[in-house]
Structure formats: C-alpha cells, structure tokens
Coordinates of all heavy atoms in Angstrom, one line a residue:
M2 N 123.5 103.5 80.9 CA 122.4 102.7 80.5 C 121.7 102.2 81.7 O 122.3 101.6 82.6 CB 122.9 101.5 79.6 CG 121.8 100.7 79.1 SD 122.4 99.5 77.9 CE 122.0 98.0 78.7
S3 N 120.4 102.3 81.7 CA 119.5 101.9 82.7 C 119.3 100.4 82.6 O 119.2 99.8 81.5 CB 118.2 102.6 82.8 OG 118.4 103.9 83.1
G4 N 119.1 99.7 83.7 CA 118.9 98.3 83.6 C 117.4 98.0 83.4 O 116.5 98.9 83.4
L5 N 117.0 96.8 83.2 CA 115.7 96.3 83.1 C 115.0 96.7 84.4 O 115.5 96.4 85.5 CB 115.7 94.8 82.8 CG 114.5 94.1 82.4 CD1 114.1 94.6 81.0 CD2 114.7 92.6 82.4
K6 N 113.7 97.2 84.4 CA 113.0 97.6 85.5 C 111.9 96.6 85.9 O 111.1 96.2 85.0 CB 112.4 99.0 85.3 CG 113.5 100.0 85.2 CD 112.9 101.4 85.1 CE 113.9 102.4 85.0 NZ 113.4 103.7 84.8
V7 N 111.9 96.2 87.2 CA 110.9 95.2 87.7 C 110.1 95.9 88.8 O 110.7 96.4 89.7 CB 111.6 93.9 88.2 CG1 110.5 93.0 88.8 CG2 112.3 93.2 87.1
F8 N 108.8 95.9 88.6 CA 107.9 96.3 89.6 C 107.5 95.2 90.5 O 106.9 94.2 89.9 CB 106.7 97.1 89.0 CG 105.7 97.6 90.0 CD1 105.8 98.8 90.5 CD2 104.6 96.8 90.3 CE1 104.8 99.3 91.4 CE2 103.6 97.2 91.2 CZ 103.8 98.5 91.8
I9 N 107.6 95.2 91.8 CA 107.2 94.1 92.7 C 105.9 94.5 93.3 O 106.0 95.4 94.2 CB 108.3 93.8 93.7 CG1 109.6 93.4 93.0 CG2 107.8 92.7 94.6 CD1 110.8 93.2 93.9
S10 N 104.8 94.0 92.9 CA 103.5 94.3 93.6 C 103.4 93.3 94.8 O 103.5 92.1 94.7 CB 102.5 94.0 92.5 OG 101.2 94.2 93.1
H11 N 103.0 93.9 95.9 CA 102.9 93.1 97.1 C 102.0 93.9 98.1 O 101.7 95.0 98.0 CB 104.3 93.0 97.8 CG 104.9 94.3 98.3 ND1 105.3 95.3 97.5 CD2 105.0 94.7 99.6 CE1 105.7 96.3 98.2 NE2 105.6 95.9 99.5
S12 N 101.6 93.1 99.1 CA 100.9 93.6 100.2 C 101.8 94.2 101.2 O 102.9 93.7 101.4 CB 100.0 92.5 100.9 OG 99.5 92.9 102.2
H13 N 101.5 95.4 101.8 CA 102.4 96.0 102.8 C 102.8 95.0 103.9 O 103.9 95.1 104.4 CB 101.8 97.3 103.3 CG 102.7 98.0 104.2 ND1 103.9 98.7 103.8 CD2 102.7 98.1 105.6 CE1 104.5 99.2 104.8 NE2 103.8 98.9 105.9
E14 N 101.9 94.2 104.3 CA 102.1 93.2 105.4 C 103.3 92.3 105.0 O 103.9 91.7 105.8 CB 100.9 92.4 105.7 CG 99.8 93.3 106.4 CD 98.7 93.8 105.4 OE1 99.1 93.9 104.2 OE2 97.6 94.0 105.8
E15 N 103.5 92.2 103.7 CA 104.5 91.2 103.2 C 105.8 92.0 102.6 O 106.4 91.5 101.7 CB 103.9 90.3 102.2 CG 102.8 89.4 102.8 CD 102.1 88.5 101.9 OE1 101.8 88.9 100.8 OE2 101.9 87.4 102.3
R16 N 106.0 93.1 103.2 CA 107.1 93.9 102.7 C 108.5 93.2 102.9 O 109.4 93.4 102.1 CB 107.2 95.3 103.4 CG 107.3 95.2 104.9 CD 107.0 96.6 105.5 NE 107.0 96.6 107.0 CZ 105.9 96.2 107.7 NH1 104.8 95.8 107.1 NH2 106.0 96.2 109.0
R17 N 108.6 92.3 103.8 CA 109.8 91.5 104.0 C 110.0 90.5 102.8 O 111.2 90.3 102.4 CB 109.8 90.8 105.4 CG 110.0 91.7 106.5 CD 109.9 91.1 107.9 NE 110.9 90.0 108.0 CZ 110.8 89.0 108.9 NH1 109.8 89.0 109.7 NH2 111.7 88.0 108.9
L18 N 108.9 90.0 102.3 CA 109.0 89.1 101.2 C 109.4 89.9 100.0 O 110.2 89.4 99.1 CB 107.6 88.4 101.0 CG 107.5 87.5 99.8 CD1 108.6 86.3 99.9 CD2 106.1 86.9 99.8
A19 N 108.8 91.1 99.8 CA 109.2 92.0 98.7 C 110.7 92.4 98.7 O 111.3 92.4 97.7 CB 108.3 93.2 98.6
K20 N 111.1 92.7 99.9 CA 112.6 93.0 100.1 C 113.4 91.8 99.8 O 114.5 92.0 99.1 CB 112.8 93.5 101.6 CG 114.2 93.7 102.0 CD 114.8 94.9 101.2 CE 116.2 95.2 101.7 NZ 116.8 96.3 101.0
A21 N 113.0 90.6 100.1 CA 113.8 89.4 99.8 C 113.9 89.2 98.3 O 115.0 88.9 97.8 CB 113.2 88.2 100.5
W22 N 112.8 89.5 97.6 CA 112.9 89.4 96.1 C 113.7 90.4 95.5 O 114.5 90.2 94.6 CB 111.4 89.5 95.6 CG 110.8 88.1 95.5 CD1 109.8 87.7 96.4 CD2 111.0 87.1 94.6 NE1 109.4 86.4 96.0 CE2 110.1 86.1 94.9 CE3 111.8 87.0 93.5 CZ2 110.1 84.8 94.1 CZ3 111.8 85.8 92.7 CH2 110.9 84.8 93.0
Q23 N 113.7 91.6 96.1 CA 114.5 92.7 95.6 C 116.0 92.4 95.8 O 116.8 92.5 94.8 CB 114.2 94.0 96.4 CG 115.1 95.2 96.1 CD 114.9 96.3 97.0 OE1 114.7 96.2 98.2 NE2 115.0 97.6 96.5
V24 N 116.4 91.9 96.9 CA 117.8 91.6 97.2 C 118.2 90.4 96.3 O 119.3 90.5 95.7 CB 118.0 91.2 98.7 CG1 119.3 90.6 98.9 CG2 117.8 92.4 99.6
L25 N 117.3 89.4 96.1 CA 117.7 88.3 95.2 C 117.9 88.7 93.8 O 118.9 88.4 93.2 CB 116.6 87.2 95.3 CG 116.7 86.0 94.4 CD1 117.9 85.2 94.9 CD2 115.4 85.2 94.4
I26 N 117.0 89.5 93.3 CA 117.1 90.1 91.9 C 118.4 90.9 91.7 O 119.1 90.7 90.8 CB 115.9 90.8 91.5 CG1 114.6 89.9 91.4 CG2 116.1 91.6 90.2 CD1 113.3 90.6 91.3
E27 N 118.6 91.8 92.7 CA 119.8 92.6 92.5 C 121.1 91.8 92.7 O 122.1 92.0 91.9 CB 119.8 93.7 93.7 CG 118.8 94.7 93.5 CD 118.7 95.7 94.7 OE1 119.1 95.4 95.8 OE2 118.1 96.8 94.5
T28 N 121.1 90.8 93.5 CA 122.3 90.0 93.7 C 122.6 89.1 92.5 O 123.7 89.0 92.0 CB 122.1 89.1 95.0 OG1 122.0 90.0 96.1 CG2 123.3 88.2 95.2
L29 N 121.5 88.4 92.0 CA 121.7 87.5 90.9 C 122.1 88.2 89.6 O 122.7 87.6 88.7 CB 120.4 86.6 90.7 CG 120.2 85.6 91.8 CD1 118.9 84.8 91.6 CD2 121.3 84.7 92.0
T30 N 121.6 89.5 89.5 CA 121.8 90.2 88.2 C 122.9 91.2 88.3 O 123.2 91.9 87.3 CB 120.6 90.8 87.7 OG1 120.2 91.8 88.5 CG2 119.4 89.8 87.6
S31 N 123.6 91.3 89.4 CA 124.6 92.3 89.6 C 124.2 93.7 89.2 O 124.9 94.5 88.6 CB 125.9 91.9 88.9 OG 126.4 90.7 89.3
G32 N 122.9 94.0 89.5 CA 122.4 95.3 89.1 C 121.9 95.6 87.8 O 121.4 96.6 87.4
A33 N 121.9 94.5 86.9 CA 121.4 94.6 85.6 C 119.9 94.7 85.6 O 119.4 95.3 84.6 CB 121.9 93.4 84.7
I34 N 119.3 94.2 86.6 CA 117.8 94.3 86.7 C 117.5 95.2 87.9 O 118.1 94.9 89.0 CB 117.1 93.0 86.8 CG1 117.4 92.2 85.5 CG2 115.7 93.1 87.1 CD1 116.8 90.8 85.5
V35 N 116.7 96.2 87.8 CA 116.4 97.1 88.9 C 115.0 96.9 89.4 O 114.1 97.3 88.8 CB 116.6 98.6 88.4 CG1 116.4 99.6 89.5 CG2 118.0 98.8 87.8
P36 N 114.9 96.2 90.6 CA 113.6 96.0 91.2 C 113.1 97.3 92.0 O 113.9 97.9 92.6 CB 113.8 94.8 92.0 CG 115.2 94.8 92.4 CD 116.0 95.5 91.3
W37 N 111.8 97.5 92.0 CA 111.2 98.5 92.8 C 110.0 98.0 93.5 O 109.2 97.2 92.9 CB 110.9 99.7 91.9 CG 110.4 100.9 92.7 CD1 111.1 101.9 93.1 CD2 109.0 101.2 93.1 NE1 110.3 102.9 93.8 CE2 109.0 102.4 93.8 CE3 107.8 100.5 93.0 CZ2 107.9 102.9 94.4 CZ3 106.6 101.1 93.6 CH2 106.7 102.3 94.2
H38 N 109.9 98.3 94.8 CA 108.7 98.0 95.5 C 108.3 99.2 96.4 O 109.3 99.9 96.9 CB 108.7 96.7 96.3 CG 109.8 96.6 97.3 ND1 109.5 96.8 98.6 CD2 111.1 96.3 97.2 CE1 110.6 96.7 99.3 NE2 111.5 96.4 98.5
S39 N 107.1 99.4 96.7 CA 106.7 100.6 97.5 C 107.1 100.6 98.9 O 107.2 101.6 99.5 CB 105.1 100.7 97.4 OG 104.5 99.5 98.0
S40 N 107.5 99.5 99.5 CA 107.9 99.3 100.9 C 109.4 99.5 101.1 O 109.8 99.4 102.2 CB 107.4 98.0 101.5 OG 106.0 98.0 101.4
D41 N 110.1 99.7 100.0 CA 111.6 99.9 100.1 C 111.9 101.0 101.1 O 111.5 102.1 100.8 CB 112.1 100.1 98.7 CG 113.6 100.1 98.7 OD1 114.3 100.0 99.7 OD2 114.2 100.1 97.6
E42 N 112.6 100.8 102.1 CA 112.9 101.8 103.1 C 114.2 102.5 102.8 O 114.5 103.4 103.6 CB 113.0 101.1 104.5 CG 111.6 100.5 104.9 CD 111.6 99.8 106.2 OE1 112.7 99.5 106.7 OE2 110.5 99.6 106.8
R43 N 114.9 102.2 101.8 CA 116.1 102.9 101.5 C 115.8 104.4 101.0 O 114.7 104.6 100.5 CB 116.9 102.2 100.3 CG 117.3 100.8 100.7 CD 118.1 100.2 99.6 NE 117.2 100.0 98.4 CZ 117.6 99.5 97.3 NH1 118.7 99.0 97.1 NH2 116.7 99.4 96.3
P44 N 116.6 105.3 101.3 CA 116.3 106.7 101.0 C 115.9 106.9 99.4 O 115.0 107.7 99.1 CB 117.6 107.5 101.2 CG 118.3 106.7 102.2 CD 117.9 105.2 101.9
E45 N 116.5 106.1 98.6 CA 116.2 106.3 97.1 C 115.1 105.4 96.7 O 114.7 105.5 95.5 CB 117.5 106.1 96.3 CG 117.9 104.6 96.3 CD 118.7 104.1 97.5 OE1 118.9 104.8 98.4 OE2 119.2 103.0 97.4
G46 N 114.5 104.6 97.5 CA 113.5 103.7 97.1 C 112.2 103.9 97.7 O 112.0 104.8 98.6
G47 N 111.2 103.1 97.3 CA 109.9 103.1 97.9 C 109.1 104.4 97.6 O 109.4 105.1 96.6
M48 N 108.1 104.6 98.4 CA 107.1 105.6 98.1 C 107.7 107.0 98.7 O 108.2 107.1 99.7 CB 105.8 105.4 98.9 CG 105.1 104.1 98.4 SD 104.5 104.3 96.6 CE 103.4 105.6 96.8
G49 N 107.6 108.0 97.8 CA 107.9 109.3 98.2 C 106.7 110.0 98.8 O 105.7 109.4 99.0
T50 N 106.9 111.3 99.1 CA 105.7 112.0 99.6 C 104.8 112.4 98.4 O 105.2 112.5 97.3 CB 106.2 113.3 100.3 OG1 107.0 114.1 99.4 CG2 107.0 112.9 101.6
G51 N 103.6 112.7 98.8 CA 102.6 113.2 97.8 C 101.6 112.1 97.5 O 101.3 111.2 98.3
E52 N 101.1 112.1 96.3 CA 100.1 111.2 95.9 C 100.7 109.8 95.5 O 101.3 109.6 94.5 CB 99.3 111.8 94.6 CG 98.6 113.1 95.0 CD 97.7 113.5 93.8 OE1 97.0 112.7 93.2 OE2 97.7 114.8 93.6
W53 N 100.3 108.8 96.3 CA 100.9 107.5 96.1 C 100.4 106.9 94.8 O 101.1 106.1 94.1 CB 100.6 106.6 97.3 CG 99.1 106.4 97.5 CD1 98.3 107.1 98.3 CD2 98.3 105.4 96.9 NE1 97.0 106.7 98.3 CE2 97.0 105.6 97.4 CE3 98.5 104.3 96.0 CZ2 95.9 104.8 97.0 CZ3 97.5 103.5 95.6 CH2 96.2 103.7 96.1
R54 N 99.1 107.2 94.5 CA 98.5 106.5 93.3 C 99.3 106.9 92.0 O 99.6 106.1 91.1 CB 97.1 106.9 93.2 CG 96.4 106.2 92.0 CD 94.9 106.5 92.0 NE 94.3 105.8 90.9 CZ 93.2 105.0 91.0 NH1 92.7 105.0 92.2 NH2 92.7 104.3 90.1
K55 N 99.7 108.2 91.9 CA 100.4 108.6 90.8 C 101.8 108.0 90.6 O 102.3 107.6 89.6 CB 100.6 110.2 90.8 CG 99.4 110.9 90.4 CD 99.6 112.4 90.3 CE 98.3 113.1 89.9 NZ 98.6 114.6 89.8
Q56 N 102.4 107.8 91.8 CA 103.8 107.2 91.8 C 103.6 105.7 91.4 O 104.4 105.2 90.7 CB 104.4 107.3 93.2 CG 105.8 106.7 93.2 CD 106.7 107.1 94.4 OE1 106.2 107.7 95.4 NE2 107.9 106.6 94.4
I57 N 102.7 105.0 92.0 CA 102.4 103.6 91.6 C 102.2 103.5 90.1 O 102.8 102.7 89.5 CB 101.3 103.0 92.4 CG1 101.7 102.9 93.9 CG2 100.9 101.6 91.9 CD1 102.7 101.9 94.3
E58 N 101.3 104.3 89.6 CA 101.0 104.3 88.2 C 102.3 104.5 87.3 O 102.5 103.8 86.3 CB 99.9 105.3 87.8 CG 98.6 105.0 88.3 CD 97.6 106.1 88.0 OE1 97.9 107.2 87.7 OE2 96.3 105.8 88.2
S59 N 103.1 105.5 87.8 CA 104.3 105.8 87.0 C 105.3 104.6 87.1 O 105.9 104.2 86.1 CB 105.0 107.0 87.7 OG 106.2 107.3 87.1
E60 N 105.4 103.9 88.3 CA 106.3 102.8 88.4 C 105.8 101.6 87.6 O 106.6 100.9 86.9 CB 106.5 102.4 89.9 CG 107.2 103.5 90.7 CD 108.6 103.7 90.4 OE1 109.3 102.8 89.7 OE2 109.1 104.8 90.7
V61 N 104.5 101.4 87.5 CA 104.0 100.3 86.7 C 104.2 100.6 85.3 O 104.6 99.7 84.5 CB 102.5 100.1 87.1 CG1 101.8 99.1 86.1 CG2 102.3 99.5 88.5
E62 N 103.9 101.7 84.9 CA 104.1 102.1 83.4 C 105.5 102.1 83.0 O 105.8 101.8 81.8 CB 103.5 103.5 83.1 CG 102.0 103.6 83.2 CD 101.4 105.0 83.1 OE1 102.2 105.9 82.9 OE2 100.2 105.1 83.2
G63 N 106.5 102.4 83.9 CA 107.9 102.4 83.5 C 108.5 101.0 83.6 O 109.7 100.8 83.3
A64 N 107.8 100.0 84.1 CA 108.4 98.7 84.4 C 108.4 97.9 83.1 O 107.5 97.9 82.3 CB 107.6 98.0 85.5
D65 N 109.5 97.1 83.0 CA 109.6 96.2 81.8 C 108.9 94.9 82.3 O 108.4 94.1 81.4 CB 111.0 95.9 81.5 CG 111.8 97.2 81.1 OD1 111.4 97.7 80.1 OD2 112.7 97.6 81.8
I66 N 108.9 94.6 83.6 CA 108.4 93.3 84.1 C 107.6 93.7 85.4 O 108.1 94.5 86.2 CB 109.4 92.3 84.4 CG1 110.2 91.9 83.1 CG2 108.9 91.1 85.1 CD1 111.4 91.1 83.4
I67 N 106.5 93.1 85.6 CA 105.8 93.2 86.8 C 105.8 91.8 87.5 O 105.3 90.8 87.0 CB 104.3 93.7 86.6 CG1 104.4 95.1 86.0 CG2 103.6 93.7 87.9 CD1 103.0 95.7 85.6
L68 N 106.3 91.8 88.7 CA 106.3 90.6 89.6 C 105.2 90.8 90.6 O 105.3 91.7 91.4 CB 107.7 90.4 90.2 CG 107.8 89.3 91.2 CD1 107.6 87.9 90.6 CD2 109.2 89.3 91.8
V69 N 104.2 89.9 90.6 CA 103.1 90.0 91.5 C 103.2 88.9 92.6 O 103.3 87.7 92.2 CB 101.7 89.9 90.8 CG1 100.6 90.1 91.8 CG2 101.6 91.0 89.7
L70 N 103.4 89.3 93.8 CA 103.5 88.3 94.9 C 102.1 88.0 95.3 O 101.4 88.7 96.1 CB 104.3 88.9 96.0 CG 105.7 89.4 95.7 CD1 106.4 89.9 96.9 CD2 106.5 88.3 94.9
V71 N 101.6 86.9 94.8 CA 100.3 86.4 95.2 C 100.3 85.4 96.3 O 100.9 84.4 96.1 CB 99.6 85.8 93.9 CG1 98.2 85.3 94.3 CG2 99.5 86.8 92.8
T72 N 99.8 85.8 97.5 CA 99.8 85.0 98.6 C 98.4 85.0 99.2 O 97.6 85.9 98.8 CB 100.8 85.6 99.7 OG1 100.4 86.8 100.1 CG2 102.2 85.7 99.1
P73 N 98.2 84.2 100.2 CA 96.8 84.4 100.9 C 96.5 85.7 101.4 O 95.4 86.1 101.3 CB 96.9 83.3 102.0 CG 97.9 82.3 101.5 CD 99.0 83.1 100.7
I74 N 97.5 86.4 101.8 CA 97.3 87.8 102.3 C 97.0 88.8 101.2 O 96.0 89.5 101.2 CB 98.5 88.3 103.2 CG1 98.6 87.5 104.5 CG2 98.4 89.8 103.5 CD1 99.8 87.8 105.4
S75 N 97.9 88.8 100.2 CA 97.7 89.8 99.1 C 96.6 89.4 98.2 O 96.0 90.3 97.6 CB 99.0 89.8 98.2 OG 99.2 88.5 97.6
N76 N 96.1 88.2 98.2 CA 95.0 87.8 97.3 C 93.7 88.4 97.8 O 92.8 88.5 97.0 CB 94.9 86.3 97.3 CG 94.1 85.8 96.2 OD1 94.1 86.4 95.1 ND2 93.3 84.7 96.3
E77 N 93.7 88.8 99.0 CA 92.5 89.5 99.6 C 92.5 91.0 99.4 O 91.5 91.6 99.8 CB 92.4 89.2 101.1 CG 92.2 87.7 101.4 CD 91.0 87.1 100.9 OE1 89.9 87.7 100.9 OE2 91.0 85.9 100.4
K78 N 93.5 91.6 98.9 CA 93.6 93.0 98.7 C 93.1 93.5 97.4 O 93.4 92.8 96.3 CB 95.1 93.5 98.9 CG 95.8 93.0 100.2 CD 95.1 93.6 101.3 CE 95.9 93.2 102.6 NZ 95.3 93.6 103.8
P79 N 92.3 94.5 97.3 CA 91.7 95.0 96.1 C 92.7 95.5 95.1 O 92.4 95.5 93.9 CB 90.7 96.1 96.5 CG 91.2 96.6 97.8 CD 91.9 95.4 98.5
W80 N 93.8 96.1 95.5 CA 94.7 96.7 94.5 C 95.6 95.7 93.8 O 96.2 96.1 92.8 CB 95.6 97.7 95.2 CG 96.4 97.1 96.3 CD1 97.6 96.5 96.1 CD2 96.2 97.1 97.7 NE1 98.1 96.1 97.4 CE2 97.3 96.5 98.3 CE3 95.2 97.6 98.5 CZ2 97.3 96.3 99.7 CZ3 95.2 97.4 99.8 CH2 96.2 96.8 100.4
L81 N 95.5 94.4 94.2 CA 96.3 93.4 93.5 C 96.0 93.5 92.0 O 96.8 93.5 91.1 CB 96.1 92.0 94.1 CG 96.8 90.9 93.4 CD1 98.3 90.9 93.7 CD2 96.2 89.5 93.9
F82 N 94.7 93.5 91.7 CA 94.2 93.5 90.3 C 94.3 94.9 89.7 O 94.5 95.0 88.5 CB 92.8 93.0 90.2 CG 92.7 91.5 90.7 CD1 92.1 91.3 91.9 CD2 93.2 90.5 89.9 CE1 92.0 89.9 92.4 CE2 93.1 89.2 90.3 CZ 92.5 88.9 91.6
W83 N 94.3 95.9 90.5 CA 94.4 97.3 90.0 C 95.8 97.5 89.4 O 96.0 98.1 88.4 CB 94.1 98.3 91.1 CG 94.3 99.7 90.6 CD1 93.6 100.5 89.8 CD2 95.5 100.5 91.0 NE1 94.1 101.7 89.6 CE2 95.3 101.8 90.3 CE3 96.6 100.3 91.7 CZ2 96.2 102.8 90.4 CZ3 97.5 101.4 91.9 CH2 97.3 102.6 91.2
E84 N 96.8 97.1 90.2 CA 98.2 97.3 89.7 C 98.5 96.4 88.5 O 99.1 96.8 87.6 CB 99.1 96.9 90.8 CG 99.1 97.9 92.0 CD 100.1 97.5 93.1 OE1 100.7 96.4 93.1 OE2 100.2 98.3 94.0

C-alpha cells in the first residue's frame, strides 16, 4: 500500500527548506506520508531527465496534498501559482 503523497512546491534557492520539510514529514509519519520535491538529490527522488514540466504536472496530479512554501523568495517566482 502506498502512503499519502505530498508535493512540496518550493523555489530552487530554498531547496534546503524543502529538504527539511521532507525529512520532518518522513520522520514524524514513519513513512506513512511520502513527500516529493523537485530538488531532492537522492537517486530515487527529484527531477529526472526529460521534460520537467510533464514530471511536475504528474507529481502535482498524483499528490494527495500540496505543501506550498511561500517565502519572500518563492513569492516572486511565477511558477508558484502555476503549480
């Protein structure tokens, strides 16, 4: 059985913040909730090769929850509202 899926929307400049949320979610839920963010540097995570837009769309559509990290940096990015 797959866990609940969370898409973490963030600015690439704040990839460390997205990673912190990922670790927190995974730790607190013992893997019952599966967070995903595009900057994940693990081999099984993050962006693969190819068209990034299709992968982002797929991850957003497959998510049960979308966590948007709204900060002064991300608030200036146009894709915040697109995702």
Side-chain angles (χ1 to χ4, degrees):
M2 181 172 119
S3 295
L5 193 67
K6 294 181 180 180
V7 176
F8 177 89
I9 302 173
S10 175
H11 69 292
S12 168
H13 183 73
E14 292 95 335
E15 298 179 318
R16 61 193 172 277
R17 291 177 52 198
L18 179 58
K20 174 69 175 178
W22 273 101
Q23 176 189 35
V24 170
L25 178 66
I26 292 167
E27 289 173 342
T28 301
L29 291 178
T30 67
S31 299
I34 298 177
V35 180
W37 185 92
H38 62 94
S39 61
S40 297
D41 188 350
E42 295 177 347
R43 297 178 300 179
E45 71 278 6
M48 296 296 294
T50 56
E52 295 185 42
W53 63 269
R54 186 177 182 128
K55 285 185 180 180
Q56 185 170 5
I57 294 290
E58 287 175 349
S59 175
E60 295 294 340
V61 168
E62 289 173 4
D65 298 297
I66 297 170
I67 298 175
L68 173 62
V69 181
L70 304 182
V71 180
T72 66
I74 292 173
S75 67
N76 199 34
E77 298 297 320
K78 306 296 182 182
W80 60 81
L81 179 69
F82 297 105
W83 174 76
E84 291 179 352

